[in-house]
Amino acid sequence: MDTLTGTIERITYQNEENGYTVAQLTPEGKSYTVPVVGSMLGVNVGEHIELSGQWAAHPQYGRQFKADTFKLKLPATATGIEKYLGSGLIKGVGPVTAKRIVRQFGAESLHVIDEEPQRLRTVLGVGPKRAVLIQDAWRQQRAIRDVMFFLQEHSISTGLAVKIYKQYGDGAVGIVKNDPYRLARDIHGIGFITADKIARALGLALDSPERAAAGVAHVLSEQADDGHVYVPQTALVAQTADMLGVPPTLVINAIEQLRQEDEVHVERIAAAPPASYIPVAEPTPFLYEVASLSDDPTPAQVAEERAVYLVPFYRGEIGVAGRLRRLRDGQSDSLALFQQFDWSVAFAAVQRETGLALAPAQREAVQAALTQPLAVLTGGPGTGKTFTVQTIIRLLEASGHTYALASPTGRAAKRLSEATGRPAKTIHRLLEFKPADGVTFQVNEKNPLDVDILIVDEASMLDLLLMNHLLKAVPPGAHLLLVGDVDQLPSVGAGSVLKDIIESGAAAVVRLQTIFRQAAGSYIVENAHRINRGQMPEWHPTNSQDFFLFKADDAEQAANLVVEIVAERIPRRFQIPADDVQVLTPMHRGVAGVANLNLLLQARLNPADATKPERRLGGHIFRVGDRVMQTSNNYNKDVYNGDLGVIVRLNLIEQMLTVRIEEREIDYSFLEMDELMHAYAISVHKAQGSEYPAVVLPLLTQHYMMLQRNLLYTAVTRARRLVVLVGMPRAIAIAVNNNKIAERYTGLAARLR
C-alpha cells in the first residue's frame, strides 16, 4: 500500500450512493496535481487528506492514484493552510482573509484560530466580531471533523457527519456512542442499516433487545413512509426478523416492550375480511361478523390478526375518526339557513350572473356542501369542480356567511386563490404553525377557526396527521367540504384520508364526471379521462396541440431526448420557456430517473460559469440559477416539503445560500443545504398539488415497478398547456392496464363505519 498526502484541488465526479470520487490532488510540497480515484464521499475542495492505496495506469486517463481509504488531516505548511482556509470551508474566511492570516501567522495560523483567536484582531480587516465569528466557525468545523473521524473508524460515509452535527451539536460523538439507533429515529436520511452498522461496530450483540426494538421501530417508520398507518403484526414480525437475522420470538418480545413503553399501540383486527362481512358495532372497529352464514366461514374461522401502530398514528386515526363523527352528528348548524333555501331561485341567479348553468351533479354538490356538515366533491380535470366551488362561495357571501379556503401546499393554495379570486392559505398557515411556542398549531380546539364552513382543495394530498390537526380547528356546527380527485396518487404521508372517508359512507359524496365544453377540446383532459377509464391515450401530431409522444427505445436515448425537448423544442415551438417546463419521472434511480436527469438538465440549462458561485454537497453541485426543491418541512423558515424555488444568491465566505420561493427569499446556511435537492426533474409523487405550463414525462419498461394507472393519471393532470411523453408505447400500456393500486393499511374507514 502506498500513501499520498495533499490538498483536494478539484472534484470532477462524485457518486453520492457509493462514494466513488474522481478528483485532482496537489501532493504536499508539490506544485502539480495528480488524479485520484476511490471511495471518498464527503471530501471537499480545499481539504487536506491522506490517502492509502496504489498507483495504477489507466488506459485512457494515464497514471492515477487508486485510494482504498482516506483520512482528513490538517495542513502543516503555510501554503497548505492558506489554501485550506481560503477554500470556503471556514465561514467568514475567503481567499483574501486567508492570505492575510497566513501572512501574519504563517504555519501557526491554525493554532492561533484554535487557541488564541483574540490575536486575529491584528489581521487587516478582521475586527472583534469577525474574530469571534471565525473562531466559532472553526470550532464547528472541528466538531464536524470529529464526527467524520469517528464515522471513518466504523466505515460509515463521512457525508453523514454534517447531518449528525446539525442534530446533536458538539455532543454528537457521545450521543452516537451511547445510543447509535437514535440516528435512525432522529435524522432524516439516515436509516436503520447505517445506525445498526455503527452499533455492531461498537459491540452491540446481534440478539440484543435494544437492537430488536430499534428494528421494529424502523420497519414501522419505513412502512409509514410508504403510506401505511399500521402494519399487521405477522408481516411486521416476519419483515423485522428477516432484516435483523434474529428469531421471530425476539421481535415479538420487542413489540411488547415497545407497547409497554407507549411507543407502539397494538390492536386486534380481522385479516382481510371478505366483502360479505360487516363490522361489529361495539368492541373494536376492526372485528368483523359474517352477514350471512350460509356460504361464508364463521367469525371464529376468520384469522385474527393484530395491528401494530406507532403511537402518533394511532392517536391520529382515533382523533380523525372521532372528530369526523362529531362533525357529522353535531346538533348545531352554522349554515341552517340553507336547509329551507329555494335552490331553483338561487341557481337561476347564478346562471344570470355568470352566463353558465350548473349541471345536475354540480347542483347536488352545492346543496350537499351547504346542507351537510361533512361533504366531499371529487372528479377529474375539466368536470367543473372549480365552478362548483365558486358557486358555493357566491351563495355564502350573498347570505353573509363566513368561510376559509385552504390547501395542503403553497402551490395548490395559490391555484385555489387564482381560481376563486379569494384568499387561500396553506393548512399550516391557516392553523398558524409556530414551533417555537410549544403548542405547534395556534389554531386548534381551544382556539378554533371563526368560520361557518372550511373548504379544503387538493384533499387527496391530506395525510392522517395533518387531517387530525385540521379537524381540531373546525368549530362545532361548522361545515367541512373536501375537494379533490380521489383517483390521483394518495398523500405522501401515511393514510388514505379522502379515499377512506368516501368508502366509509360517513360523508355526502358527489362525483363530477361530465367533461364540459370548454375543456373538451384539450387532449390533456380527454386523455386524462381515457387513462382513468383504462384506455390508451391518443396522440395525433397533426391534430393535437397539447399532447405528444416521442418514442425512445432505451433509457439513454429517452434521457437525451428529454433534455433536447426541454431546452430546445418546447421553447421554440410553443414559446414556453424552459423554466416553465417540469420534467416528471416515476423513478429516482436509473438513467431516466430523477438524479441523472437533474445532472443532465443542470448541465444544459445552467452550466458552470465563472460568474456563478457554486457549492458542492456530496455528489451534487448547487449554483446560482439552479431550480431546487425543499425536501422536508422546515417550520422555522415556513417552507415545506415540495416547495419549489430558484437559487438567487450563494455567498461562499459567509456560507449562505438564498432561494426564492414564490415571492419570498429564504436563507439557508451551508449546514442546511441537505434540505434541498435539484428540481429540474422531480418524481410524480413530489408533483402532487402542483400545476405546470408544460410537463415532460419519460416512461420506460424499466420503470415497470412504478408503472401504475394513477401515477400516469396524476402526471398528465399536472400540465396546464402541454404534455410530452417520452419513451415506449408498451410502457404506457403497462401503466394504463395496471390499476392494482397499492392498498394502504389504514383503519380509518372501519372506524368511521
Side-chain angles (χ1 to χ4, degrees):
M1 297 286 284
D2 297 319
T3 299
L4 177 65
T5 302
T7 302
I8 297 291
E9 297 290 343
R10 186 172 73 254
I11 296 176
T12 307
Y13 171 79
Q14 194 167 67
N15 184 313
E16 200 166 34
E17 291 180 18
N18 58 27
Y20 183 77
T21 302
V22 179
Q24 291 291 323
L25 178 139
T26 300
E28 204 168 50
K30 307 296 182 182
S31 58
Y32 56 83
T33 63
V34 297
V36 294
V37 299
S39 182
M40 295 177 281
L41 185 60
V43 299
N44 290 298
V45 171
E47 285 187 317
H48 203 67
I49 64 174
E50 179 183 284
L51 302 171
S52 295
Q54 292 180 324
W55 290 98
H58 191 280
Q60 183 176 354
Y61 301 109
R63 193 166 182 259
Q64 60 185 20
F65 192 86
K66 297 182 70 174
D68 293 321
T69 63
F70 78 97
K71 295 179 181 177
L72 293 169
K73 296 176 69 69
L74 292 177
T77 66
T79 302
I81 291 170
E82 182 181 330
K83 282 186 176 181
Y84 178 76
L85 291 176
S87 66
L89 287 172
I90 309 301
K91 185 176 181 179
V93 180
V96 173
T97 302
K99 185 181 289 292
R100 289 172 177 171
I101 291 173
V102 174
R103 187 186 300 149
Q104 184 102 346
F105 304 116
E108 297 295 309
S109 296
L110 298 183
H111 169 80
V112 170
I113 295 173
D114 198 26
E115 302 292 339
E116 304 175 87
Q118 68 277 3
R119 292 177 61 189
L120 290 171
R121 301 178 190 179
T122 63
V123 176
L124 179 65
V126 179
K129 288 184 179 179
R130 192 148 187 213
V132 172
L133 175 69
I134 292 172
Q135 184 193 27
D136 289 345
W138 170 254
R139 287 181 175 170
Q140 185 182 75
Q141 190 65 25
R142 287 293 297 268
I144 293 172
R145 290 168 65 86
D146 288 344
V147 179
M148 284 184 176
F149 288 141
F150 172 73
L151 293 174
Q152 282 178 349
E153 291 174 5
H154 303 293
S155 303
I156 305 298
S157 160
T158 57
L160 301 177
V162 170
K163 285 188 175 185
I164 294 172
Y165 179 80
K166 264 178 64 180
Q167 182 73 25
Y168 304 127
D170 293 341
V173 172
I175 290 172
V176 173
K177 284 182 178 178
N178 291 330
D179 184 5
Y181 292 112
R182 279 188 64 178
L183 295 174
R185 296 195 302 270
D186 296 347
I187 303 176
H188 179 75
I190 295 183
F192 174 84
I193 303 302
T194 299
D196 192 45
K197 195 173 181 182
I198 296 174
R200 299 293 305 286
L202 292 171
L204 196 70
L206 186 73
D207 60 352
S208 70
E210 295 89 348
R211 182 170 183 260
V216 169
H218 166 71
V219 172
L220 285 171
S221 180
E222 289 281 294
Q223 292 296 307
D225 288 344
D226 286 340
H228 301 294
V229 178
Y230 71 85
V231 180
Q233 182 167 306
T234 302
L236 175 62
V237 170
Q239 190 173 344
T240 307
D242 182 63
M243 179 185 75
L244 299 178
V246 299
T249 52
L250 188 65
V251 178
I252 293 171
N253 292 337
I255 293 171
E256 177 59 20
Q257 174 193 331
L258 290 169
R259 188 191 66 78
Q260 292 178 6
E261 295 170 355
D262 202 30
E263 294 292 327
V264 304
H265 173 84
V266 183
E267 185 167 313
R268 290 183 300 163
I269 63 172
S276 57
Y277 280 35
I278 58 173
V280 171
E282 284 304 321
T284 163
F286 287 115
L287 289 180
Y288 290 80
E289 289 180 328
V290 181
S292 168
L293 297 180
S294 56
D295 300 314
D296 294 310
T298 66
Q301 292 173 300
V302 178
E304 184 176 288
E305 177 63 280
R306 291 171 178 263
V308 184
Y309 290 79
L310 288 169
V311 164
F313 292 106
Y314 170 71
R315 291 174 179 163
E317 190 170 275
I318 291 292
V320 169
R323 290 183 173 92
L324 284 174
R325 283 199 301 269
R326 285 194 292 274
L327 179 68
R328 179 194 61 192
D329 301 334
Q331 299 302 308
S332 61
D333 186 354
S334 300
L335 299 180
L337 166 71
F338 290 102
Q339 298 294 342
Q340 289 83 37
F341 215 54
D342 191 333
W343 293 102
S344 59
V345 172
F347 292 142
V350 170
Q351 184 170 353
R352 285 195 303 272
E353 186 179 340
T354 64
L356 298 172
L358 287 157
Q362 289 177 304
R363 294 186 179 198
E364 182 186 351
V366 172
Q367 289 181 245
L370 297 176
T371 61
Q372 302 296 319
L374 178 60
V376 172
L377 171 60
T378 187
T383 57
K385 294 193 300 293
T386 298
F387 184 55
T388 304
V389 172
Q390 289 171 340
T391 302
I392 292 168
I393 291 172
R394 280 192 175 91
L395 295 176
L396 288 167
E397 291 176 344
S399 58
H401 287 96
T402 57
Y403 62 91
L405 304 176
S407 286
T409 68
R411 282 180 166 259
K414 186 176 180 181
R415 286 175 54 203
L416 178 60
S417 181
E418 290 170 349
T420 60
R422 305 293 189 275
K425 296 180 179 180
T426 64
I427 292 172
H428 283 86
R429 287 181 184 165
L430 180 73
L431 303 185
E432 298 179 19
F433 188 95
K434 294 180 181 177
D437 293 346
V439 179
T440 54
F441 290 98
Q442 305 300 301
V443 179
N444 49 42
E445 60 266 58
K446 296 179 181 178
N447 178 35
L449 295 164
D450 184 16
V451 295
D452 297 322
I453 182 172
L454 174 61
I455 301 172
V456 181
D457 195 21
E458 294 290 352
S460 62
M461 298 178 66
L462 282 170
D463 63 66
L464 183 75
L465 299 184
L466 184 58
M467 183 64 170
N468 192 32
H469 286 296
L470 181 68
L471 289 172
K472 291 178 184 179
V474 179
H479 288 213
L480 175 64
L481 172 63
L482 301 176
V483 183
D485 187 347
V486 74
D487 294 322
Q488 289 185 19
L489 289 169
S491 60
V492 174
S496 300
V497 173
L498 185 64
K499 177 172 175 283
D500 285 352
I501 291 173
I502 292 173
E503 291 184 354
S504 72
V509 179
V510 179
R511 182 166 193 143
L512 304 181
Q513 294 178 301
T514 303
I515 302 175
F516 286 91
R517 185 174 61 253
Q518 57 268 37
S522 165
Y523 271 80
I524 295 175
V525 173
E526 294 283 356
N527 281 333
H529 286 272
R530 288 182 64 85
I531 291 166
N532 206 25
R533 293 192 298 266
Q535 300 171 325
M536 282 289 283
E538 296 179 344
W539 44 83
H540 298 289
T542 55
N543 299 330
S544 174
Q545 295 298 314
D546 62 4
F547 199 103
F548 299 91
L549 170 68
F550 284 81
K551 294 181 181 179
D553 295 326
D554 59 67
E556 188 170 349
Q557 182 188 5
N560 292 330
L561 193 51
V562 164
V563 174
E564 182 185 343
I565 288 168
V566 172
E568 294 183 18
R569 298 197 186 193
I570 290 178
R572 184 172 62 238
R573 177 168 175 182
F574 295 96
Q575 286 72 55
I576 299 175
D579 289 346
D580 287 342
V581 181
Q582 183 61 60
V583 177
L584 305 179
T585 179
M587 300 288 282
H588 283 273
R589 298 182 180 181
V591 177
V594 170
N596 189 58
L597 286 174
N598 270 316
L599 287 173
L600 297 176
L601 288 162
Q602 181 195 36
R604 184 65 171 272
L605 300 175
N606 191 33
D609 187 320
T611 65
K612 294 179 181 177
E614 62 181 42
R615 169 75 174 184
R616 177 180 287 276
L617 180 68
H620 305 287
I621 296 174
F622 291 88
R623 65 174 61 100
V624 171
D626 275 342
R627 189 189 306 177
V628 292
M629 172 182 279
Q630 177 78 17
T631 60
S632 60
N633 292 338
N634 187 323
Y635 301 110
N636 292 313
K637 296 182 184 296
D638 195 20
V639 291
Y640 302 98
N641 189 359
D643 283 351
L644 288 172
V646 175
I647 298 175
V648 292
R649 284 189 298 278
L650 199 156
N651 189 320
L652 293 171
I653 296 176
E654 297 302 320
Q655 297 194 350
M656 294 294 292
L657 172 149
T658 303
V659 179
R660 182 180 293 122
I661 297 176
E662 300 293 346
E663 306 302 322
R664 299 186 304 136
E665 292 191 352
I666 314 296
D667 291 328
Y668 294 79
S669 74
F670 281 1
L671 288 179
E672 297 172 313
M673 284 176 59
D674 61 311
E675 296 180 16
L676 299 171
M677 63 169 280
H678 288 103
Y680 298 99
I682 62 176
S683 69
V684 178
H685 284 81
K686 286 285 189 184
Q688 286 176 263
S690 296
E691 189 177 71
Y692 313 98
V695 163
V696 177
L697 176 71
L699 275 183
L700 302 160
T701 52
Q702 292 97 314
H703 296 153
Y704 69 94
M705 289 182 64
M706 297 297 294
L707 292 180
Q708 296 175 338
R709 185 184 300 174
N710 61 348
L711 182 137
L712 177 57
Y713 174 74
T714 300
V716 168
T717 55
R718 298 308 88 205
R720 189 163 59 246
R721 292 176 51 191
L722 179 68
V723 170
V724 179
L725 305 182
V726 179
M728 310 170 183
R730 182 164 173 261
I732 298 170
I734 292 172
V736 168
N737 292 320
N738 181 11
N739 199 31
K740 295 179 182 177
I741 298 170
E743 292 295 328
R744 296 182 166 190
Y745 291 120
T746 161
L748 180 60
R751 294 186 196 278
L752 286 172
R753 293 192 198 102

